[in-house]
Amino acid sequence: MEIRQLQYFVAVAQTRHFGRAAERLHMAQSPLSQAIRQLEAQLGATLFDRTTRRVELTPAGEALLLDAERILGSIEAAQTRVRLVGAGRTGLLRVGATGLAAYRQLPQLARIATRELPGLQLRFEPDLLTPAQEQALEEDRIDLAVLRPPLRRAGLASRLVARERLVVAVPQSHRLAGDEPVRLAELRDEDFVVYGVPDSVVDGAVTQACLSAGFLPRRVHAAAQTSILLTLVAAGLGVAVLPEAALALRVQGVQLIPVADEVSIDLAIAWRREDPSPALARLLRALEANGFTTPDVDLPSADLDVPLGGTR
């Protein structure tokens, strides 16, 4: 049984008239009648009671009509889905993100995707450090990453999302608590709470900034997540220097103060350079058109020959 035969049969069944069905199908009546007779011969059942005045479905025809409409509906829906996926208007994209990006950038990304690509489904994998996101991209476990450059793996492309200033988190009773920006040199004698994970770009950038201010930070406590890190600060166990995205968090007993030094940490999106996904291409265009990313900005690439490289 061919799809074409089902289409012919449904047209006759719905119009109850071979002539009108032929007009709907843009064909002559004679080949339509012949096609229906061939279908009946294949099935071994009469599908229509035909008289000179009317065409009515037999019980066998009624049974076939239910299945034929369902089958043709499924085929049409499949064709529509394929066209939409091929055009990048629907499908699933898996998005990874650093912990802090989940509070500020992911909601903005989701709003843009919902408005510009309403058929697109996003699945978020938040709270992933940059090395883990790069590996997930390489292993095709995520399609898009929100991370901190520089990228350390070849085959990835990236665009800048934001250059974030630094803030220092101190207990509310701390001597530096207040409205005035803090210079990193003022933290020379403080205990530091850090992320303390291998290849943390934030920790590396903070250490380098402190060295430029004339001291090596005294790393006393470590936490893998920003919320836990701030909890340790609230307990009076030290101070922490973080990207300004931490301002989206509110932890009782902690005050976040701007850092006066001219230091920033980049945030970027990254993806597999050779990813053929039309949906990813459309989302990247939508993000750029809506100001989420900044085109043509060189990002550090960890000594790899990867243009526009983008690690936490």
Side-chain angles (χ1 to χ4, degrees), residues 4-5 8 12 18 22 25-39:
R4 174 181 55 83
Q5 291 175 303
Y8 291 173
V12 176
F18 277 86
L25 295 167
H26 305 292
M27 62 185 300
Q29 181 174 335
S30 177
L32 174 61
S33 299
Q34 182 179 356
I36 295 299
R37 285 195 296 270
Q38 289 175 345
L39 178 61

Side-chain angles (χ1 to χ4, degrees), residues 149 158-160 163 266 268 294-301 306-310:
S158 67
R159 290 289 185 274
L160 178 70
R163 289 214 152 109
D266 289 346
T294 302
D296 303 324
V297 175
D298 290 330
L299 296 175
S301 57
V306 181
L308 286 180

Side-chain angles (χ1 to χ4, degrees), residues 62-78:
E62 294 280 4
L64 179 60
L65 181 60
L66 293 175
D67 287 331
E69 289 178 331
R70 176 180 55 80
I71 292 168
L72 294 176
S74 297
I75 291 172
E76 183 177 354

